[in-house]
Amino acid sequence: MALTGLQIFKVLPKTNCKKCGKPTCLAFAMALAQKKASLDECPDATDETRAMLAEASAPPMQKVKFGTGDSAVELGAETVMYRHEEKFYSPTVIAVSVSDAISGDELKARIDTVNALQFDRVGTHIQVNAIAVVNDSGSADTFASVAETVKQASPLAMILVSESADALGAAAGKVADSVPLLACATAETADAVAKIAKDNKCPLVAAADSVDALAELTEKIKAAGVEDIVLCLKGMSLKEEMYGLTTARAAALKKSFRPLGYPTLSLVLGGTPEEQAGKALSLVSKYAGVVVLDTAEAYAILPVLTTIMNIYTDPQKPVQVEPKVYKIGEAGDDSPMLLTTNFSLTYYTVESDAEASRVPCYILVVDTEGTSVLTAYSGDKLNEKVVSEAMKKFGVEDMVKHRKMIIPGYVAVMSGKLEEETGWEILVGPRESSMLPKYLQDVA
Amino acid sequence: MPVPRVADTFKGAVSRVTIGATAEQGGTRTTTVTVGGALNVVYAGEPGKLGEKPVIAVDVLDIAPEDWAEALAGQYKDVFGDPAAWAKKAVDEYGADLICLKFDGIHPDRGDLGADHAVRVIKDVLAAVGVPLILWGSGNDAKDNQIMPKVSEAAKGQNCLIGTVTEDNYKSLTAIALADSHKLITEAPLDINIGKQVNILVSDMGYPLENIVTFQSTGALGYGIEYSYSIQERQRLATLGGDKMMAMPSIVDVGSEAWRTKEAKSDAPEWGPAEARGPMWEAATAIVLLQSGTDIIRLRHPKAVATVKNFIKEMW
């Protein structure tokens, strides 16, 4: 919780020595509270003062990393309960499980399947970012050997899932250099597992069946020297888990309750692909740092990854598509040419309605800094110059034989100037994109 | 170790809206549906504060759709063009809580059918099923203003949910909903200020706020769902903060939006089999929107209905 200027003032030297450049200690305290000054500017601050301010300015939720190099993933560092307040920072990491009860070709095939859960949609690459080795075999040796195989065969960040301290110790010993996330320590195994995490420098999941027990456990693990902790609520229904996760997040962010100031992990093992996806979607929307699934069905994974893509966008920044000419269907040199802006919602609406028309066509998308048609026009980001430059840049004249451009009905007013600037005939399309199918069918 | 609970200081609640009227209530419905009542955001506070269970309205079109993806159309081909049989199937086989009767056929571009057609459809559907009905216009203001009052009149006493009214076109439908005692859907284009404005406008006509359900427009997963999500969440927070002009249950149109997406309908085997992918995309859109706080979900595919029902059963 941020300190007020007065709270800070109480622990300053109160000498008004001006060495910090401020006239008084109180003025300096106010500047510190507003984050407009740094305590380093005060040469006489005591260590206690430094410690207290550092504690107060620490982020409410710790950042935790696992994996190495390009495949390292980051969790936590969240600051808000609702995405519209600011944004959600660390996109949920989706992990898919590999059981250590399988071996040989079956194991190899499963690892390949998990590695292949990568998709390109709307110009963005999204993928499963972690692979979770699950100790179904009950054997520490088998677990360690499968973890080694996974390390060799998968570039993904690894999670080791076992209830057994022996198994986690054996596996961590083999793959420690890839910095796996160890899951998990319980009240019973905390001492042993915390030591494994500390010795192998791995982050650790603390698991308990209530938020209160969890808070106790993280303090214990922290006291044992493990800093990078991830929370897990286990042995309950999804409903209880969702309420628990929300309580934990609120305590961390709103009350600066350090014992729960960590990202979370949820295990969704078992159930149909639809059930797993449903649970994962709920968890992704409400605060999960990592979700481990055992379905590897593309049709269940893709919507989960897409949800992460959507929910973790910055609500202050409009999502943009690349300005260029998009080809809809088998468009040829006599197909209609449509104009719109690069606000993603605008573009995808137009694209979807153009596709629905079944009329092959081109869509010229001009860069309006991600604003919609009317907003862009009002802000002078959509004018005849912008359009004419985009037409040259993207070689529009070489794509079609005709010289007719269909513009959104809302900017009919720019037709005259646009005609003058480009020499093209300007056709005014419908105001609402939903009328495009009919319009295109009539024009074509 | 006791964890500090963040106390709720909320003073508002989502209003409760009941749709449908049984014989005792002057209608012919065999069931009614009540939505709303939430006293918190989803999953915050105690489970008892989530209000009524969200419900599922299955879309029934007055005419056979021409552009539905095969994976979806295949489920209904035998009842296309027969709204009564379609509604019966949605209720008896798929477990719809309500039927959303969508009057596409009256749109000038999609048949331009008249009042005779629309009135026949509503009468047939009322006779075929006992669940409450949502009556949804075509989106063409002129035709909706001309035909929907006739539809409303034909369903008088049934306590339907009728819509939609917008900032630019609300007078005739609001008046008729008031006269025929139907509940009303107010629509806004993903803009929370317009959402509030249209509620104020219909309220100024004497229409009771507690009979309104809001429709903030729906973006499908991958295509603007984050806008719908945040507007729904902000509406809920405004409600809890005591804003009476926003304290309505909401409806989302998941079926038609989800089935417009590439992910639901295109032939892309690398994304999984089309017969599983489309319903999953539809269910996913619904489940994500449920997290932000919504009350009535319009759906189409029976598998999506099953997945979402299953989810609601587990969480509410």
Side-chain angles (χ1 to χ4, degrees):
Chain A
M1 188 75 68
L3 296 174
T4 64
L6 279 176
Q7 284 170 320
I8 298 172
F9 174 68
K10 285 184 190 151
V11 297
L12 289 177
K14 301 195 197 73
T15 52
N16 296 335
C17 69
K18 303 189 177 62
K19 287 181 207 159
C20 62
K22 297 281 183 306
T24 62
C25 286
L26 182 60
F28 182 56
M30 293 299 172
L32 280 175
Q34 292 166 8
K35 301 197 169 28
K36 286 179 180 163
S38 151
L39 190 62
D40 297 338
E41 293 162 45
C42 174
D44 303 321
T46 63
D47 287 345
E48 284 112 290
T49 307
R50 284 180 207 288
M52 185 187 131
L53 284 183
E55 173 78 7
S57 64
M61 186 192 292
Q62 186 153 336
K63 185 190 279 185
V64 175
K65 287 187 198 181
F66 66 99
T68 53
D70 290 345
S71 60
V73 292
E74 283 186 5
L75 319 169
E78 299 295 344
T79 57
V80 293
M81 299 296 288
Y82 307 110
R83 60 183 294 281
H84 64 262
E85 292 177 290
E86 192 173 317
K87 67 177 258 190
F88 291 169
Y89 281 93
S90 305
T92 309
V93 170
I94 297 299
V96 173
S97 68
V98 172
S99 170
D100 74 345
I102 58 172
S103 58
D105 288 346
E106 200 189 346
L107 176 61
K108 184 80 182 48
R110 175 69 181 183
I111 298 170
D112 288 345
T113 303
V114 178
N115 291 342
L117 288 169
Q118 309 198 13
F119 309 91
D120 286 296
R121 67 172 295 280
V122 301
T124 307
H125 183 81
I126 48 179
Q127 66 174 88
V128 163
N129 276 319
I131 186 163
V133 186
V134 181
N135 184 205
D136 292 325
S137 70
S139 151
D141 291 342
T142 306
F143 188 51
S145 118
V146 171
E148 250 187 316
T149 307
V150 169
K151 186 191 156 185
Q152 303 296 333
S154 176
L156 301 174
M158 202 190 308
I159 305 172
L160 299 173
V161 183
S162 177
E163 298 278 327
S164 147
D166 288 344
L168 286 172
K174 300 274 190 193
V175 298
D177 56 337
S178 42
V179 196
L181 174 62
L182 306 184
C184 39
T186 59
E188 294 74 40
T189 63
D191 293 331
V193 178
K195 185 170 186 316
I196 294 165
K198 191 173 177 228
D199 292 349
N200 292 287
K201 299 193 174 62
C202 295
L204 176 61
V205 179
D209 60 6
S210 74
V211 286
D212 297 325
L214 198 51
E216 207 153 294
L217 182 58
T218 60
E219 288 295 275
K220 194 172 176 187
I221 290 170
K222 196 177 170 194
V226 178
E227 295 282 331
D228 290 336
I229 301 173
V230 174
L231 310 172
C232 177
L233 285 167
K234 274 179 75 166
M236 58 182 71
S237 69
L238 177 69
K239 181 174 174 175
E240 292 165 321
E241 185 177 357
M242 296 306 305
Y243 280 93
L245 288 175
T246 304
T247 303
R249 171 107 158 188
L253 301 187
K254 300 283 176 196
K255 299 276 180 187
S256 294
F257 184 66
R258 298 280 175 212
L260 294 177
Y262 302 100
T264 67
L265 173 142
S266 296
L267 297 168
V268 182
L269 303 175
T272 64
E274 283 81 2
E275 284 163 357
Q276 290 191 35
K279 289 179 177 181
L281 292 163
S282 196
L283 287 160
V284 161
S285 308
K286 298 282 181 173
Y287 319 134
V290 184
V291 178
V292 183
L293 298 167
D294 66 18
T295 179
E297 290 288 349
Y299 77 85
I301 298 290
L302 181 61
V304 176
L305 296 176
T306 305
T307 300
I308 297 167
M309 198 175 161
N310 288 167
I311 295 295
Y312 282 80
T313 51
D314 185 344
Q316 315 301 331
K317 275 195 207 136
V319 189
Q320 308 186 10
V321 294
E322 186 192 343
K324 65 174 189 182
V325 177
Y326 292 81
K327 192 173 169 179
I328 307 299
E330 295 302 312
D333 57 10
D334 55 351
S335 299
M337 177 70 70
L338 282 68
L339 171 76
T340 195
T341 73
N342 78 326
F343 175 39
S344 68
L345 207 49
T346 301
Y347 172 71
Y348 291 121
T349 310
V350 174
E351 183 199 52
S352 142
D353 289 318
E355 276 176 352
S357 76
R358 294 171 199 268
V359 177
C361 58
Y362 294 100
I363 305 176
L364 167 62
V365 173
V366 297
D367 186 358
T368 56
E369 296 161 36
T371 52
S372 64
V373 171
L374 268 183
T375 314
Y377 180 75
S378 321
D380 207 27
K381 287 173 185 146
L382 177 63
N383 58 36
E384 67 281 3
K385 295 269 187 310
V386 171
V387 176
S388 147
E389 274 159 31
M391 286 170 71
K392 285 189 198 107
K393 187 171 168 192
F394 304 128
V396 170
E397 302 217 326
D398 300 330
M399 290 177 182
V400 288
K401 285 185 299 192
H402 63 80
R403 294 291 176 260
K404 289 178 195 161
M405 175 80 70
I406 301 168
I407 67 168
Y410 275 115
V411 289
V413 57
M414 70 186 279
S415 326
K417 281 186 175 168
L418 195 53
E419 239 168 50
E420 253 170 55
E421 182 74 27
T422 61
W424 280 45
E425 183 185 341
I426 302 303
L427 306 176
V428 177
R431 289 157 78 95
E432 295 297 340
S433 170
S434 57
M435 300 315 292
L436 256 186
K438 168 102 171 95
Y439 179 86
L440 285 174
Q441 280 157 13
D442 292 350
V443 168
Chain B
M1 181 184 294
V3 170
R5 293 328 201 246
V6 176
D8 304 321
T9 51
F10 298 135
K11 47 184 183 272
V14 178
S15 57
R16 274 192 166 76
V17 175
T18 297
I19 305 159
T22 59
E24 300 90 80
Q25 295 155 330
T28 59
R29 304 299 82 206
T30 51
T31 56
T32 62
V33 159
T34 301
V35 292
L39 297 163
N40 210 320
V41 293
V42 179
Y43 308 143
E46 303 106 53
K49 297 198 165 176
L50 262 184
E52 303 288 343
K53 266 185 204 297
V55 294
I56 290 167
V58 172
D59 284 355
V60 170
L61 272 53
D62 63 334
I63 53 166
E66 287 169 3
D67 53 355
W68 281 21
E70 187 51 41
L72 176 60
Q75 306 296 321
Y76 292 106
K77 273 203 175 131
D78 54 331
V79 293
F80 274 173
D82 183 351
W86 186 340
K88 202 164 162 39
K89 183 172 188 171
V91 174
D92 295 348
E93 294 177 33
Y94 305 154
D97 299 309
L98 307 93
I99 290 297
C100 179
L101 194 48
K102 177 84 172 69
F103 290 91
D104 267 8
I106 64 174
H107 196 288
D109 296 343
R110 291 179 223 121
D112 206 11
L113 298 169
D116 294 353
H117 153 82
V119 168
R120 192 173 59 243
V121 168
I122 174 72
K123 285 191 169 157
D124 287 353
V125 173
L126 279 169
V129 295
V131 300
L133 301 189
I134 301 172
L135 309 173
W136 199 297
S138 68
N140 179 281
D141 289 352
K143 278 305 287 283
D144 287 350
N145 289 344
Q146 185 194 333
I147 309 284
M148 292 308 283
K150 305 270 179 13
V151 171
S152 168
E153 200 186 343
K156 190 166 182 171
Q158 299 289 359
N159 190 21
C160 298
L161 177 60
I162 193 165
T164 60
V165 298
T166 62
E167 189 186 24
D168 303 321
N169 185 53
Y170 62 93
K171 287 184 181 155
S172 47
L173 207 50
T174 302
I176 200 77
L178 201 54
D180 296 336
S181 300
H182 293 308
K183 303 298 187 327
L184 186 66
I185 306 171
T186 59
E187 175 179 353
L190 288 176
D191 183 319
I192 197 159
N193 298 316
I194 297 178
K196 184 166 174 172
Q197 175 65 13
V198 60
N199 290 340
I200 294 171
L201 290 171
V202 303
S203 157
D204 284 351
M205 283 183 66
Y207 193 86
L209 288 172
E210 62 274 16
N211 286 354
I212 296 174
V213 171
T214 60
F215 175 54
Q216 304 287 4
S217 297
T218 303
L221 176 57
Y223 299 87
I225 198 171
E226 64 272 31
Y227 297 92
S228 305
Y229 188 95
S230 282
I231 285 178
Q232 296 278 153
E233 205 163 53
R234 287 171 64 197
Q235 177 178 359
R236 175 66 62 87
L237 289 166
T239 300
L240 299 173
D243 187 344
K244 293 263 183 286
M245 288 295 167
M246 295 302 278
M248 297 84 183
S250 70
I251 184 167
V252 288
D253 177 12
V254 168
S256 70
E257 292 300 328
W259 282 97
R260 277 154 55 106
T261 66
K262 272 198 195 98
E263 287 79 356
K265 65 184 185 191
S266 69
D267 181 29
E270 71 278 15
W271 287 349
E275 64 275 14
R277 181 160 27 94
M280 184 76 247
W281 205 261
E282 188 182 6
T285 300
I287 290 173
V288 171
L289 289 172
L290 277 171
Q291 313 306 310
S292 66
T294 193
D295 304 274
I296 308 175
I297 303 167
R298 280 178 57 191
L299 290 177
R300 289 186 171 171
H301 198 288
K303 268 198 210 162
V305 172
T307 302
V308 178
K309 271 192 157 249
N310 187 28
F311 181 84
I312 292 170
K313 195 173 149 204
E314 188 167 353
M315 302 305 285
W316 261 262

